[in-house]
Amino acid sequence: CATVEAAETMAHGGPDGILISSPLAAPWQLHRLRRLLLRGADIMSVVDCEAHLLGLSSAAESVGRKVGVLVEIEVGVGRTGC
């Protein structure tokens, strides 16, 4: 899923795991992530900086869960996803 909103929709269908491909940084995004985790969703998210990683970690720890991460790395071509 590209967004936490799309992940919420997917969670209703009950897939085994959901990847959120855009970094979650805003407080409202992390709040919605916490709600997903409380519902038992298995979430993995992309991070591209330490601040995003810390936000995910804090959100997950606050509800006693873990979130998988994929680290997005800029390799010198001015964009990611290459």
Side-chain angles (χ1 to χ4, degrees):
C1 299
T3 65
V4 70
E5 297 92 342
E8 289 170 325
T9 300
M10 289 293 292
H12 288 295
D16 290 337
I18 300 169
L19 169 64
I20 301 174
S21 60
S22 299
L24 303 177
W28 67 267
Q29 291 172 315
L30 296 171
H31 172 75
R32 290 171 87 160
L33 172 66
R34 280 191 293 276
R35 287 190 347 209
L36 278 169
L37 294 170
L38 283 170
R39 290 185 5 214
D42 180 19
I43 303 292
M44 179 179 277
S45 182
V46 171
V47 296
D48 61 4
C49 70
E50 183 179 7
H52 296 162
L53 183 61
L54 294 174
L56 284 178
S57 176
S58 178
E61 286 180 5
S62 74
V63 295
R65 297 285 310 277
K66 294 183 180 181
V67 173
V69 296
L70 291 175
V71 178
E72 190 170 324
I73 299 172
E74 162 59 59
V75 294
V77 294
R79 65 177 295 259
T80 57
C82 298

Coordinates of all heavy atoms in Angstrom, one line a residue:
C1 N 0.8 -1.2 0.0 CA 0.0 0.0 0.0 C 0.9 1.2 0.0 O 1.9 1.3 0.6 CB -0.9 0.0 1.2 SG -2.0 -1.4 1.4
A2 N 0.4 2.3 -0.6 CA 1.2 3.5 -0.7 C 1.0 4.4 0.6 O 1.9 5.2 0.9 CB 0.8 4.3 -1.9
T3 N -0.1 4.2 1.2 CA -0.4 5.1 2.4 C -1.0 4.2 3.5 O -1.5 3.1 3.4 CB -1.5 6.1 2.0 OG1 -2.7 5.4 1.7 CG2 -1.0 6.9 0.8
V4 N -1.0 4.9 4.7 CA -1.6 4.2 5.9 C -3.2 4.1 5.7 O -3.7 3.1 6.1 CB -1.3 5.0 7.2 CG1 -2.0 6.3 7.3 CG2 -1.6 4.1 8.4
E5 N -3.8 5.0 4.9 CA -5.2 4.9 4.6 C -5.5 3.6 3.8 O -6.4 2.9 4.1 CB -5.7 6.1 3.9 CG -5.6 7.4 4.7 CD -4.3 8.1 4.4 OE1 -3.3 7.5 3.9 OE2 -4.3 9.3 4.7
A6 N -4.6 3.4 2.8 CA -4.8 2.1 2.0 C -4.6 0.9 2.9 O -5.3 -0.1 2.7 CB -3.9 2.2 0.8
A7 N -3.6 1.0 3.8 CA -3.4 -0.2 4.7 C -4.6 -0.5 5.5 O -4.9 -1.6 5.8 CB -2.1 0.1 5.5
E8 N -5.3 0.6 6.0 CA -6.5 0.4 6.8 C -7.5 -0.4 6.0 O -8.2 -1.3 6.5 CB -7.1 1.7 7.2 CG -6.2 2.4 8.3 CD -6.6 3.8 8.6 OE1 -7.1 4.5 7.7 OE2 -6.5 4.2 9.7
T9 N -7.7 0.0 4.7 CA -8.6 -0.7 3.8 C -8.2 -2.2 3.6 O -9.1 -3.1 3.7 CB -8.7 0.0 2.5 OG1 -9.2 1.4 2.7 CG2 -9.7 -0.7 1.6
M10 N -6.9 -2.4 3.4 CA -6.4 -3.8 3.2 C -6.6 -4.6 4.4 O -6.9 -5.8 4.3 CB -5.0 -3.7 2.8 CG -4.7 -3.2 1.4 SD -5.3 -4.3 0.1 CE -4.2 -5.7 0.4
A11 N -6.5 -4.0 5.6 CA -6.6 -4.8 6.9 C -8.0 -5.4 7.0 O -8.1 -6.4 7.7 CB -6.2 -3.9 8.0
H12 N -9.0 -4.7 6.5 CA -10.3 -5.3 6.6 C -10.5 -6.6 5.8 O -11.3 -7.4 6.1 CB -11.4 -4.2 6.0 CG -11.6 -3.1 6.9 ND1 -12.1 -3.2 8.2 CD2 -11.3 -1.8 6.8 CE1 -12.1 -2.0 8.8 NE2 -11.6 -1.1 7.9
G13 N -9.6 -6.8 4.8 CA -9.7 -8.0 4.0 C -8.9 -9.1 4.6 O -9.0 -10.3 4.2
G14 N -8.1 -8.8 5.6 CA -7.4 -9.8 6.4 C -6.1 -10.4 5.7 O -5.9 -11.6 6.0
P15 N -5.3 -9.7 4.9 CA -4.1 -10.3 4.4 C -3.1 -10.6 5.5 O -3.2 -10.0 6.6 CB -3.5 -9.3 3.4 CG -4.1 -8.0 3.9 CD -5.4 -8.3 4.5
D16 N -2.2 -11.6 5.3 CA -1.3 -12.0 6.3 C -0.3 -10.8 6.7 O 0.2 -10.8 7.8 CB -0.5 -13.2 5.9 CG -1.3 -14.4 5.8 OD1 -2.3 -14.5 6.5 OD2 -1.0 -15.4 5.1
G17 N 0.0 -10.0 5.7 CA 1.0 -8.9 6.0 C 0.7 -7.7 5.0 O 0.3 -7.9 3.9
I18 N 1.0 -6.5 5.5 CA 0.8 -5.3 4.7 C 2.0 -4.5 4.7 O 2.6 -4.2 5.8 CB -0.4 -4.5 5.3 CG1 -1.7 -5.3 5.3 CG2 -0.5 -3.2 4.5 CD1 -2.8 -4.6 6.1
L19 N 2.5 -4.1 3.5 CA 3.7 -3.2 3.4 C 3.2 -1.8 3.0 O 2.4 -1.7 2.1 CB 4.6 -3.7 2.3 CG 5.7 -2.7 1.8 CD1 6.7 -2.5 3.0 CD2 6.4 -3.2 0.6
I20 N 3.6 -0.9 3.8 CA 3.3 0.5 3.6 C 4.5 1.1 2.9 O 5.6 1.2 3.6 CB 2.9 1.3 4.8 CG1 1.6 0.7 5.5 CG2 2.6 2.8 4.5 CD1 1.2 1.2 6.8
S21 N 4.4 1.5 1.7 CA 5.6 1.9 0.9 C 6.0 3.4 1.0 O 7.1 3.7 0.5 CB 5.4 1.5 -0.6 OG 4.3 2.2 -1.1
S22 N 5.2 4.2 1.7 CA 5.6 5.6 1.9 C 5.9 5.7 3.4 O 5.2 5.2 4.2 CB 4.4 6.5 1.6 OG 4.1 6.4 0.2
P23 N 7.0 6.5 3.7 CA 7.4 6.7 5.1 C 6.2 7.3 5.9 O 5.5 8.2 5.4 CB 8.6 7.6 5.0 CG 9.1 7.4 3.7 CD 8.0 7.1 2.8
L24 N 6.1 6.9 7.1 CA 5.0 7.4 8.0 C 5.8 8.3 9.0 O 6.6 7.9 9.8 CB 4.4 6.3 8.8 CG 3.7 5.2 8.0 CD1 3.1 4.1 8.8 CD2 2.6 5.8 7.1
A25 N 5.4 9.6 8.9 CA 6.1 10.6 9.8 C 5.2 11.5 10.6 O 5.5 11.9 11.7 CB 7.0 11.5 8.9
A26 N 4.1 11.9 10.0 CA 3.1 12.8 10.6 C 2.5 12.1 11.8 O 2.2 10.9 11.8 CB 2.1 13.3 9.6
P27 N 2.2 12.9 12.9 CA 1.5 12.3 14.0 C 0.2 11.6 13.7 O -0.1 10.5 14.3 CB 1.3 13.5 15.0 CG 2.4 14.5 14.6 CD 2.6 14.3 13.1
W28 N -0.6 12.1 12.8 CA -1.8 11.4 12.4 C -1.6 10.1 11.8 O -2.3 9.2 12.0 CB -2.7 12.3 11.6 CG -2.2 12.6 10.2 CD1 -1.4 13.7 9.8 CD2 -2.4 11.9 9.0 NE1 -1.1 13.6 8.5 CE2 -1.7 12.5 8.0 CE3 -3.1 10.7 8.8 CZ2 -1.7 12.0 6.7 CZ3 -3.1 10.2 7.5 CH2 -2.4 10.8 6.5
Q29 N -0.5 10.0 11.0 CA -0.2 8.7 10.4 C 0.2 7.7 11.4 O -0.2 6.5 11.3 CB 1.0 8.9 9.4 CG 0.6 9.7 8.1 CD 1.8 10.0 7.3 OE1 2.9 10.4 7.8 NE2 1.6 9.8 6.0
L30 N 1.0 8.1 12.4 CA 1.5 7.2 13.4 C 0.3 6.8 14.3 O 0.3 5.6 14.8 CB 2.6 7.8 14.2 CG 3.9 8.1 13.4 CD1 4.9 8.9 14.2 CD2 4.5 6.8 12.9
H31 N -0.6 7.7 14.5 CA -1.8 7.3 15.3 C -2.6 6.2 14.6 O -3.0 5.3 15.2 CB -2.7 8.6 15.5 CG -4.0 8.3 16.1 ND1 -4.1 8.0 17.5 CD2 -5.2 8.2 15.6 CE1 -5.4 7.8 17.7 NE2 -6.1 7.9 16.6
R32 N -2.8 6.4 13.3 CA -3.5 5.4 12.5 C -2.8 4.1 12.5 O -3.4 3.0 12.5 CB -3.8 6.0 11.1 CG -4.9 7.1 11.3 CD -5.1 7.8 10.0 NE -6.1 7.1 9.2 CZ -6.8 7.7 8.2 NH1 -6.5 9.0 7.9 NH2 -7.7 7.0 7.5
L33 N -1.4 4.2 12.4 CA -0.6 2.9 12.5 C -0.9 2.2 13.8 O -1.1 1.0 13.8 CB 0.9 3.3 12.3 CG 1.8 2.1 12.6 CD1 1.7 1.0 11.5 CD2 3.2 2.6 12.6
R34 N -0.9 3.0 14.9 CA -1.1 2.3 16.2 C -2.5 1.6 16.2 O -2.6 0.5 16.7 CB -1.1 3.4 17.3 CG 0.3 3.7 17.8 CD 0.3 4.6 19.0 NE -0.2 5.9 18.8 CZ 0.4 6.9 18.4 NH1 1.7 6.8 18.0 NH2 -0.1 8.1 18.2
R35 N -3.5 2.3 15.6 CA -4.8 1.6 15.6 C -4.8 0.3 14.8 O -5.4 -0.7 15.2 CB -5.9 2.6 15.0 CG -6.2 3.7 15.9 CD -7.4 4.6 15.4 NE -7.8 4.4 14.0 CZ -8.4 5.3 13.3 NH1 -8.6 6.5 13.8 NH2 -8.7 5.1 12.1
L36 N -4.1 0.3 13.7 CA -3.9 -0.9 12.9 C -3.3 -2.0 13.7 O -3.7 -3.1 13.7 CB -3.1 -0.6 11.6 CG -3.8 0.0 10.4 CD1 -2.8 0.4 9.4 CD2 -4.8 -1.0 9.8
L37 N -2.2 -1.6 14.4 CA -1.5 -2.6 15.2 C -2.3 -3.2 16.3 O -2.3 -4.4 16.6 CB -0.2 -2.0 15.8 CG 0.9 -1.6 14.7 CD1 2.0 -0.8 15.4 CD2 1.4 -2.8 14.0
L38 N -3.2 -2.3 16.9 CA -4.1 -2.8 18.0 C -5.1 -3.8 17.5 O -5.5 -4.6 18.2 CB -4.8 -1.6 18.6 CG -3.9 -0.8 19.6 CD1 -4.6 0.5 20.0 CD2 -3.6 -1.6 20.8
R39 N -5.4 -3.6 16.2 CA -6.4 -4.6 15.5 C -5.7 -5.8 15.1 O -6.4 -6.7 14.6 CB -7.1 -3.9 14.3 CG -8.0 -2.8 14.7 CD -8.8 -2.2 13.6 NE -8.7 -2.8 12.3 CZ -8.7 -2.0 11.2 NH1 -8.8 -0.7 11.2 NH2 -8.6 -2.7 10.0
G40 N -4.4 -5.9 15.3 CA -3.7 -7.2 15.0 C -3.1 -7.2 13.6 O -2.6 -8.3 13.2
A41 N -3.1 -6.1 12.9 CA -2.5 -6.1 11.6 C -1.0 -6.3 11.6 O -0.3 -5.8 12.5 CB -2.8 -4.8 10.9
D42 N -0.5 -7.1 10.7 CA 1.0 -7.3 10.6 C 1.5 -6.3 9.5 O 1.3 -6.4 8.4 CB 1.2 -8.8 10.1 CG 2.7 -9.1 9.9 OD1 3.5 -8.4 10.5 OD2 2.9 -10.1 9.2
I43 N 2.2 -5.3 10.0 CA 2.6 -4.2 9.2 C 4.1 -4.1 9.0 O 4.9 -4.4 10.0 CB 2.2 -2.8 9.9 CG1 0.7 -2.8 10.1 CG2 2.6 -1.6 9.0 CD1 -0.2 -2.8 8.8
M44 N 4.5 -3.8 7.8 CA 5.9 -3.5 7.5 C 5.9 -2.1 6.8 O 5.0 -1.8 6.0 CB 6.6 -4.5 6.6 CG 8.0 -4.2 6.2 SD 8.7 -5.5 5.2 CE 9.2 -6.6 6.4
S45 N 6.9 -1.2 7.1 CA 6.9 0.1 6.5 C 8.3 0.4 6.0 O 9.3 0.0 6.5 CB 6.4 1.1 7.5 OG 6.4 2.4 6.9
V46 N 8.3 1.3 5.0 CA 9.5 1.8 4.4 C 10.0 3.0 5.3 O 9.1 3.8 5.7 CB 9.3 2.3 2.9 CG1 10.5 3.0 2.4 CG2 9.0 1.1 2.1
V47 N 11.3 3.1 5.5 CA 11.8 4.3 6.2 C 13.0 4.8 5.4 O 13.7 4.0 4.7 CB 12.3 3.9 7.7 CG1 11.2 3.5 8.6 CG2 13.4 2.9 7.7
D48 N 13.2 6.1 5.4 CA 14.3 6.7 4.7 C 15.1 7.7 5.5 O 16.0 8.3 5.0 CB 13.8 7.4 3.4 CG 12.8 8.6 3.7 OD1 12.6 8.9 4.9 OD2 12.3 9.1 2.7
C49 N 14.8 7.7 6.8 CA 15.7 8.5 7.7 C 15.4 8.0 9.2 O 14.5 7.3 9.5 CB 15.4 10.0 7.6 SG 13.8 10.5 8.2
E50 N 16.3 8.4 10.0 CA 16.3 7.9 11.4 C 15.0 8.4 12.1 O 14.4 7.7 12.9 CB 17.5 8.4 12.2 CG 17.6 8.0 13.6 CD 18.8 8.4 14.4 OE1 19.6 9.2 13.8 OE2 19.0 8.0 15.5
A51 N 14.6 9.6 11.8 CA 13.4 10.2 12.4 C 12.1 9.3 12.2 O 11.3 9.1 13.1 CB 13.1 11.6 12.0
H52 N 12.0 8.8 10.9 CA 10.9 8.0 10.6 C 11.0 6.6 11.3 O 10.0 6.1 11.8 CB 10.8 7.7 9.1 CG 10.5 8.9 8.3 ND1 10.8 9.0 7.0 CD2 10.0 10.1 8.7 CE1 10.4 10.2 6.5 NE2 10.0 10.9 7.5
L53 N 12.2 6.1 11.5 CA 12.4 4.9 12.2 C 12.0 5.0 13.7 O 11.4 4.2 14.2 CB 13.9 4.4 12.1 CG 14.2 3.1 12.7 CD1 13.4 2.0 12.1 CD2 15.7 2.9 12.6
L54 N 12.4 6.1 14.3 CA 12.1 6.4 15.7 C 10.6 6.5 15.9 O 10.0 6.1 16.9 CB 12.9 7.6 16.2 CG 14.4 7.5 16.2 CD1 15.0 8.8 16.6 CD2 14.8 6.4 17.2
G55 N 9.9 7.2 14.9 CA 8.5 7.3 15.0 C 7.8 6.0 14.9 O 6.8 5.7 15.7
L56 N 8.2 5.1 14.0 CA 7.6 3.8 13.9 C 7.8 3.0 15.2 O 6.9 2.3 15.7 CB 8.2 3.0 12.7 CG 7.8 3.4 11.3 CD1 8.5 2.5 10.3 CD2 6.3 3.2 11.2
S57 N 9.1 3.1 15.7 CA 9.4 2.3 16.9 C 8.6 2.8 18.1 O 8.0 1.9 18.8 CB 10.9 2.5 17.2 OG 11.3 1.9 18.4
S58 N 8.4 4.0 18.2 CA 7.7 4.6 19.3 C 6.2 4.2 19.2 O 5.6 3.8 20.2 CB 7.8 6.1 19.4 OG 7.0 6.7 20.4
A59 N 5.6 4.3 18.0 CA 4.2 3.9 17.8 C 4.0 2.4 18.1 O 3.1 2.1 18.8 CB 3.8 4.2 16.4
A60 N 4.9 1.6 17.7 CA 4.8 0.1 17.9 C 4.9 -0.2 19.4 O 4.1 -1.0 19.9 CB 5.8 -0.6 17.0
E61 N 6.0 0.4 20.0 CA 6.2 0.1 21.4 C 5.0 0.5 22.3 O 4.7 -0.1 23.3 CB 7.5 0.8 21.9 CG 8.7 0.1 21.4 CD 10.0 0.8 21.8 OE1 10.0 1.7 22.6 OE2 11.1 0.3 21.4
S62 N 4.4 1.6 21.9 CA 3.3 2.1 22.7 C 2.1 1.2 22.8 O 1.3 1.3 23.7 CB 2.8 3.5 22.2 OG 2.1 3.4 21.0
V63 N 2.0 0.2 21.8 CA 0.9 -0.7 21.9 C 1.4 -2.2 22.0 O 0.7 -3.1 21.8 CB 0.0 -0.6 20.6 CG1 -0.7 0.7 20.6 CG2 0.8 -0.8 19.3
G64 N 2.7 -2.3 22.4 CA 3.3 -3.6 22.6 C 3.5 -4.5 21.4 O 3.4 -5.7 21.5
R65 N 3.7 -3.9 20.3 CA 3.8 -4.6 19.0 C 5.2 -4.2 18.3 O 5.9 -3.3 18.8 CB 2.7 -4.2 18.0 CG 1.3 -4.6 18.5 CD 1.0 -6.1 18.4 NE 1.4 -6.7 17.1 CZ 0.6 -6.6 16.0 NH1 -0.6 -6.0 16.0 NH2 1.0 -7.1 14.8
K66 N 5.5 -4.9 17.3 CA 6.6 -4.7 16.4 C 6.2 -4.4 15.0 O 5.2 -4.8 14.6 CB 7.6 -5.9 16.4 CG 8.2 -6.1 17.8 CD 9.2 -7.3 17.7 CE 9.8 -7.5 19.1 NZ 10.8 -8.6 19.0
V67 N 7.0 -3.6 14.3 CA 6.7 -3.2 12.9 C 8.0 -3.6 12.1 O 9.1 -3.2 12.5 CB 6.4 -1.7 12.7 CG1 6.3 -1.4 11.3 CG2 5.1 -1.4 13.5
G68 N 7.9 -4.3 11.1 CA 9.0 -4.6 10.2 C 9.4 -3.3 9.4 O 8.5 -2.5 9.1
V69 N 10.6 -3.2 9.0 CA 11.0 -2.0 8.2 C 11.8 -2.5 7.0 O 12.5 -3.5 7.0 CB 11.8 -1.0 9.0 CG1 11.0 -0.4 10.1 CG2 13.1 -1.6 9.6
L70 N 11.7 -1.7 6.0 CA 12.6 -1.7 4.8 C 13.2 -0.4 4.7 O 12.6 0.7 4.7 CB 11.8 -2.0 3.5 CG 11.1 -3.3 3.3 CD1 10.3 -3.4 2.1 CD2 12.2 -4.4 3.3
V71 N 14.6 -0.4 4.6 CA 15.3 0.9 4.6 C 15.5 1.3 3.2 O 16.1 0.6 2.4 CB 16.7 0.7 5.3 CG1 17.4 2.0 5.3 CG2 16.5 0.3 6.8
E72 N 15.0 2.5 2.9 CA 15.1 3.1 1.5 C 16.5 3.8 1.5 O 16.7 4.7 2.3 CB 14.0 4.0 1.2 CG 13.8 4.4 -0.2 CD 12.5 5.1 -0.4 OE1 11.5 4.7 0.1 OE2 12.5 6.0 -1.2
I73 N 17.3 3.5 0.5 CA 18.6 4.2 0.5 C 18.8 4.9 -0.9 O 18.6 4.4 -1.9 CB 19.7 3.1 0.6 CG1 19.6 2.4 1.9 CG2 21.1 3.7 0.4 CD1 20.5 1.2 2.0
E74 N 19.2 6.2 -0.8 CA 19.5 7.0 -1.9 C 20.9 6.6 -2.4 O 21.9 6.6 -1.7 CB 19.5 8.5 -1.5 CG 20.2 9.4 -2.5 CD 19.7 9.4 -3.9 OE1 18.5 9.7 -4.1 OE2 20.5 9.1 -4.8
V75 N 21.0 6.1 -3.6 CA 22.3 5.5 -4.1 C 23.0 6.5 -5.1 O 23.9 6.1 -5.8 CB 22.1 4.2 -4.8 CG1 21.6 3.1 -3.8 CG2 21.1 4.3 -5.9
G76 N 22.5 7.8 -5.1 CA 23.2 8.7 -5.9 C 22.6 9.1 -7.2 O 23.2 9.9 -8.0
V77 N 21.4 8.6 -7.5 CA 20.8 9.0 -8.8 C 19.6 10.0 -8.6 O 18.9 10.3 -9.5 CB 20.3 7.7 -9.5 CG1 21.4 6.9 -10.0 CG2 19.3 7.0 -8.7
G78 N 19.5 10.5 -7.4 CA 18.5 11.6 -7.2 C 17.1 11.1 -6.9 O 16.1 11.9 -6.9
R79 N 16.9 9.8 -6.8 CA 15.5 9.2 -6.5 C 15.7 7.8 -6.0 O 16.8 7.2 -6.1 CB 14.7 9.2 -7.8 CG 15.2 8.3 -8.9 CD 14.2 8.2 -10.0 NE 12.9 7.7 -9.7 CZ 12.5 6.4 -9.9 NH1 13.3 5.6 -10.6 NH2 11.3 6.0 -9.6
T80 N 14.7 7.4 -5.4 CA 14.7 6.0 -4.9 C 13.7 5.2 -5.7 O 13.0 5.7 -6.5 CB 14.3 6.0 -3.4 OG1 13.0 6.5 -3.3 CG2 15.2 6.7 -2.5
G81 N 13.8 3.9 -5.5 CA 12.9 3.0 -6.2 C 13.5 2.6 -7.6 O 12.8 2.1 -8.4
C82 N 14.8 2.8 -7.7 CA 15.5 2.5 -9.0 C 15.7 1.0 -9.2 O 16.0 0.4 -8.2 CB 16.8 3.2 -9.1 SG 16.6 5.0 -9.1

